[in-house]
Amino acid sequence: MTPRAGMLIAAGALVAGTVTVLPAAPAGAGEPAPRPLPPLAWTGCAIKAYPKLQCATLKVPLNHDDPAGRTVTLALSRVPHTAKTFQGPLLVNPGGPGGSGRTMAGYVAASLPPEVAAQYDVIGFDPRGVGKSEPALDCKPGHFAPVRPDSVPRGAEGERAAVQRAQDFADACGKKYADVLPYIDTVSSARDLDVIRRALGAPKINYLGYSYGTYLGAVYARLHPDRVRRMALDSVVNPHGVWYEDNIAQDYAFDTRHKDFMAWVARQDAVYKLGTDPAAVEAAWYRMRDALRAAPAGGKVGPGELEDTFLPGGYYNGYWPRLATAFSAYVNDADAVPLTEAYERYGEADAAADNGYSVYTSVQCRDAGWPRDWNVWRKDSWDVHAKAPFSTWNNAWYNAPCAFWPVDSLTPPDVSNDQVPPVLILQATDDAATPYEGGVALHRLMRGSSLVVEEGGGNHGVTLGGNDCLDEHLATYLATGKVPRAEGDAEVDAVCAALPEPEPEPLAPPAGKQTKGKTAARSLPPRAETVGAAQPKATGTVRAESVGGILHGLLGHVR
């Protein structure tokens, strides 16, 4: 949804060699297939968490319909296979759009069972415009610098200012990247995947995509069903709602998930002392929001920044204890320090976030039509806000540049598919970022797919996060290609129970006599700089950083 936790899967300084894609004649009836590409020049780019990581770069056409024209560069990563049995490349994508995927290769290789990971070259990549790929987009650095105006409009003048801010961002993108924006879209990225396949010398790819990565995978499968060997899609974008309707669906889902969090806080009243009635706890949260409008915590956490801070809890309930601690300290002790620290840890945007947001808007605004009449946005946002106030307006402003985007929108492709091999779809019933209906919709569109459901799960990105049942389905599929099948006409092929809710953390004593608006030295540990760094694989428990926790930092509504 909003940006704002630092890019948890950002790699360190990764250096690589480059290979250039040779111009190729388009394949077609009576036409030669594209020429083979020279091997990628892999070089070591190990980081502490992933000592086997290698990197390379690959030039691809900016416009795939003009393969001899201008190129852009993709940054790739790899953890090579070590087993005698080699099942080909496993391309992995963490979502976004706008999420860097290079260290995702290390994360997936380390999180799969070793005997399965050893059979694949696990391939990560920064999609066009992202991270170490070139050019990397950054339309308007500092766009999310605090303190922003309250996301909920306070009169016509405030709304006009916010609309102008969104239009300024769109204008900045248009001025800075006029020649690139027409080609920052999902179909272009899907065609990039096929160039990666060719560069790897593989007749087919295996693919594991999370969140927006599920849509990217579905588009690739529609373009090249004969080039898909295995495909696992976790936390699925609803292809029927790309993208305006999907964002409205998220508004309701995140509000529901925020209420789940408030109910959890109420059940932990012995620790957080915010009351036992979920409605009363939620009312206290909104009173905190109102107070921050008048006096931003630490001079940087106003209402919008508060939403940015608590939104990650909608992606991953492992954050609930620390968020509840910050909430309790502010309400009960007038202590703003934990809240400011939580914002710095979970919500504050950095340069990687600016890049991710620039690609997010570029892809979503280009992919599909958006209302160009602001009156439509206003009416829809107020209607939804009346029922789901947690993040509706925050979300509206996040996407508002699409009302003024300088490039015309495309028509989303039909991703229905009866030619692709069995696809494994994994979905939590209470996922807020990609609501459950998306998994069901794609399951119906992809004939022969298998739907595995985490019943009662509310996290986003559910595999490789400690749920043994889900992880076993994924590992079995990657090892053997087998998917579970329901008996009779049941739509769901397998069900896994959700992991237990997190346990509360004991509250630390208040930070001296701190008052609202004053900060002290950070007490939270610094953000992880790599996916799952120093985190052992959990067995049936929530890890400190799971995929669900990672994905929220990738800046998009559908991560």
Side-chain angles (χ1 to χ4, degrees):
M1 283 271 302
T2 44
R4 317 325 189 209
M7 301 288 281
L8 295 179
I9 63 167
L14 305 183
V15 181
T18 301
V19 62
T20 301
V21 174
L22 299 175
E31 297 177 346
R35 284 176 284 176
L37 300 176
L40 289 161
W42 295 103
T43 61
C45 58
I47 54 179
K48 184 177 180 180
Y50 310 124
K52 297 179 181 179
L53 204 63
Q54 300 173 348
C55 291
T57 57
L58 172 67
K59 290 189 180 297
V60 300
L62 173 65
N63 177 3
H64 284 279
D65 292 330
D66 181 18
R70 179 180 170 182
T71 62
V72 294
T73 302
L74 304 182
L76 311 181
S77 64
R78 175 179 76 168
V79 177
H81 74 284
T82 56
K84 291 182 179 179
T85 299
F86 178 47
Q87 301 211 46
L90 173 62
L91 276 64
V92 298
N93 180 270
S100 169
R102 288 189 310 155
T103 53
M104 198 73 182
Y107 179 79
V108 170
S111 300
L112 286 171
E115 64 276 12
V116 176
Q119 298 178 34
Y120 287 95
D121 284 347
V122 184
I123 308 293
F125 59 97
D126 283 354
R128 54 175 57 202
V130 176
K132 293 297 183 181
S133 292
E134 297 177 353
L137 275 56
D138 191 350
C139 296
K140 199 165 186 269
H143 182 69
F144 291 103
V147 174
R148 306 194 307 275
D150 190 347
S151 56
V152 179
R154 302 288 165 177
E157 183 176 351
E159 182 178 346
R160 280 194 297 269
V163 169
Q164 187 61 54
R165 181 173 175 273
Q167 186 168 1
D168 288 346
F169 184 88
D171 291 345
C173 287
K175 291 176 182 177
K176 208 169 181 179
Y177 302 111
D179 55 341
V180 174
L181 290 185
Y183 310 105
I184 306 296
D185 61 90
T186 299
V187 172
S188 293
S189 291
R191 296 178 77 175
D192 289 345
L193 293 183
D194 206 54
V195 181
I196 295 173
R197 177 195 63 79
R198 290 173 51 213
L200 294 170
K204 298 184 179 185
I205 66 167
N206 306 281
Y207 182 86
L208 170 60
Y210 292 88
S211 195
Y212 164 77
T214 66
Y215 183 62
L216 177 62
V219 171
Y220 180 82
R222 175 69 183 197
L223 292 174
H224 302 296
D226 58 324
R227 299 172 193 172
V228 174
R229 182 173 179 269
R230 289 173 193 162
M231 179 170 284
L233 305 176
D234 183 330
S235 303
V236 176
V237 167
N238 190 336
H240 297 312
V242 175
W243 291 109
Y244 186 74
E245 292 80 4
D246 277 350
N247 277 282
I248 290 176
Q250 284 183 328
D251 295 338
Y252 289 108
F254 271 100
D255 191 83
T256 297
R257 193 60 179 154
H258 185 64
K259 285 180 168 61
D260 292 342
F261 174 35
M262 297 294 100
W264 178 86
V265 173
R267 291 193 293 274
Q268 313 300 335
D269 180 59
V271 176
Y272 300 114
K273 303 187 185 308
L274 287 162
T276 59
D277 178 8
V281 174
E282 186 178 18
W285 191 90
Y286 282 102
R287 287 196 299 274
M288 175 174 65
R289 188 188 187 284
D290 289 340
L292 293 171
R293 185 184 309 113
K300 60 167 48 176
V301 185
E305 290 75 25
L306 181 74
E307 292 159 349
D308 298 347
T309 302
F310 278 75
L311 190 66
Y315 285 88
Y316 176 52
N317 63 8
Y319 296 147
W320 286 3
R322 279 185 171 166
L323 293 174
T325 295
F327 180 16
S328 175
Y330 186 91
V331 171
N332 292 327
D333 303 315
D335 181 3
V337 173
L339 184 60
T340 304
E341 292 174 334
Y343 167 70
E344 292 169 350
R345 180 178 178 86
Y346 300 126
E348 190 170 30
D350 56 13
D354 287 341
N355 166 242
Y357 180 63
S358 296
V359 177
Y360 170 87
T361 49
S362 297
V363 170
Q364 294 218 344
C365 299
R366 176 65 168 153
D367 264 3
W370 294 74
R372 292 285 181 157
D373 181 352
W374 182 252
N375 292 321
V376 175
W377 293 70
R378 178 190 297 113
K379 180 182 185 304
D380 288 347
S381 295
W382 279 122
D383 287 350
V384 177
H385 175 84
K387 302 174 183 177
F390 169 57
S391 61
T392 293
W393 273 106
N394 190 309
N395 186 16
W397 298 124
Y398 196 76
N399 290 279
C402 292
F404 312 103
W405 203 245
V407 180
D408 290 339
S409 297
L410 301 170
T411 299
D414 174 12
V415 298
S416 60
N417 206 318
D418 60 2
Q419 300 178 54
V420 73
V423 171
L424 181 65
I425 296 173
L426 305 112
Q427 183 71 42
T429 57
D430 300 335
D431 182 0
T434 51
Y436 178 73
E437 292 76 15
V440 174
L442 190 63
H443 178 43
R444 293 172 179 171
L445 289 172
M446 301 188 93
R447 194 175 76 176
S449 63
S450 176
L451 177 60
V452 177
V453 170
E454 185 183 43
E455 183 66 40
N459 289 337
H460 181 60
V462 292
T463 56
L464 307 183
N467 188 315
D468 291 343
C469 174
L470 293 168
D471 291 352
E472 184 175 347
H473 282 295
L474 176 62
T476 298
Y477 176 66
L478 292 177
T480 68
K482 294 181 180 178
V483 296
R485 293 297 184 193
E487 296 182 1
D489 296 328
E491 187 154 50
V492 175
D493 294 286
V495 177
C496 294
L499 293 176
E501 290 184 336
E503 294 294 328
E505 296 178 357
L507 295 181
K513 294 292 184 178
Q514 296 294 328
T515 58
K516 294 179 184 178
K518 295 183 180 180
T519 58
R522 291 172 61 89
S523 61
L524 296 178
R527 297 180 194 147
E529 293 184 354
T530 56
V531 178
Q535 298 295 341
K537 190 175 190 304
T539 303
T541 57
V542 177
R543 284 187 293 187
E545 299 287 3
S546 73
V547 171
I550 298 305
L551 294 183
H552 89 267
L554 298 181
L555 316 177
H557 293 269
V558 292
R559 327 185 207 292

